[in-house]
Amino acid sequence: MKIEEKIIIFGCNPISFEVGFALRGRGYSYLLVDDSIKYKTEAEALGYTLLVGDIYSDSFLEELGIGNGVETIYTFFLEDEKNIFLTLSARFLDEKLEIISLTETHDTISKLEASGSNVVMDPYEISANRMHQILTKPEVVTILDKTFFSNDDLDITEIVIPTNSTYNGMLLSQTQFQEKYSILLLGLVDFELSDSFVFCAEGTKHKIDEGDILVVIGQRDDIKLFKSSLHK
């Protein structure tokens, strides 16, 4: 097996799909890996090629290029124990590897950090403001900058849908924000439903209304262009 990608995303779920979409939109190649074939149909339906393998095997990780070419991995399984084991194994194989991990429980953060993760994200307890705080930490921006944009002109912002916006009443899936304006739409907060953060991949059927808050990341000029489109 010959693998040439420098970036690997482990785990199939809405968050990993969004990361993959952002990378693909910027011209970066990456590998999507899971330990179960049950997600293969879903991944392929979204345009992703999924490689299935034994993440508990060091030889499999080495075949993927960890320790020999791979620069960044996302350990984004929804099971904390998998992310801990994978982080520990990958760090053993490459002490310089950039590792971004996902967790569902606050107690696991310290375990992932101890295992070798550079950045740990807990998206299921994040409001729009908390997302802003996490993603604007210098170490996170550094990694996002390396993997997404390769320059310093990266920004993240919260945008309120104004009155009489052309997007009022549209579904997220109809907007094509990301294709038109080269931005990554992380998700939104709809205060009519709740004040919790909804990731874009989980809310594609959400109807946009006046007052909704969109959380986007991208280059400053692209974000300005997107903001101006809200009033057309």
Side-chain angles (χ1 to χ4, degrees):
M1 179 171 58
K2 184 178 181 181
I3 304 295
E4 298 180 352
E5 281 76 5
K6 303 295 184 182
I7 302 169
I8 301 178
I9 304 171
F10 289 93
C12 280
N13 57 69
I15 303 171
S16 58
F17 290 153
E18 283 300 311
V19 171
F21 183 89
L23 292 171
R24 185 168 58 189
R26 290 287 173 173
Y28 288 93
S29 62
Y30 63 90
L31 187 64
L32 180 62
V33 178
D34 202 279
D35 62 344
S36 175
I37 198 172
K38 67 180 181 180
Y39 300 108
K40 187 175 180 65
T41 300
E42 179 182 358
E44 291 180 347
L46 293 172
Y48 297 95
T49 299
L50 176 66
L51 178 65
V52 178
D54 182 7
I55 64 168
Y56 297 102
S57 167
D58 282 352
S59 61
F60 174 67
L61 299 181
E62 288 175 321
E63 287 180 3
L64 295 178
I66 295 178
N68 185 28
V70 170
E71 298 175 352
T72 303
I73 68 169
Y74 295 82
T75 58
F76 273 19
F77 284 104
L78 298 183
E79 300 90 349
D80 286 335
E81 63 273 12
K82 290 184 180 180
N83 290 332
I84 292 172
F85 187 93
L86 183 56
T87 298
L88 188 63
S89 298
R91 179 59 69 215
F92 176 78
L93 294 173
D94 187 349
E95 63 180 17
K96 295 182 179 180
L97 184 67
E98 294 283 1
I99 304 176
I100 303 96
S101 299
L102 188 71
T103 180
E104 289 189 294
T105 60
H106 183 76
D107 292 341
T108 306
I109 294 176
S110 59
K111 295 179 182 178
L112 283 164
E113 290 174 339
S115 298
S117 180
N118 299 92
V119 176
V120 181
M121 299 178 64
D122 181 3
Y124 298 97
E125 295 182 357
I126 299 175
S127 65
N129 287 329
R130 179 60 177 157
M131 175 67 77
H132 184 281
Q133 293 166 6
I134 287 179
L135 290 179
T136 51
K137 286 183 179 179
E139 66 271 23
V140 182
V141 169
T142 297
I143 293 174
L144 288 172
D145 186 55
K146 287 180 180 179
T147 55
F148 289 0
F149 304 111
S150 298
N151 63 55
D152 297 324
D153 190 29
L154 179 69
D155 200 6
I156 179 171
T157 188
E158 299 171 12
I159 300 174
V160 180
I161 297 295
T163 303
N164 299 324
S165 171
T166 53
Y167 297 111
N168 283 345
M170 293 181 65
L171 299 178
L172 276 179
S173 58
Q174 298 174 323
T175 59
Q176 297 184 321
F177 290 149
Q178 298 173 138
E179 294 89 341
K180 288 181 179 179
Y181 302 103
S182 299
I183 61 171
L184 171 61
L185 176 62
L186 294 172
L188 77 161
V189 177
D190 183 344
F191 288 104
E192 289 186 357
L193 299 178
S194 70
D195 60 355
S196 60
F197 188 84
V198 179
F199 277 91
C200 181
E202 298 174 340
T204 55
K205 295 183 179 180
H206 175 86
K207 182 170 67 71
I208 299 173
D209 299 304
E210 172 189 346
D212 283 0
I213 298 176
L214 306 180
V215 181
V216 302
I217 186 170
Q219 296 183 29
R220 294 183 184 91
D221 288 344
D222 292 333
I223 291 177
K224 288 180 181 178
L225 183 62
F226 171 62
K227 283 183 177 179
S228 67
S229 75
L230 298 177
H231 301 276
K232 294 180 180 179

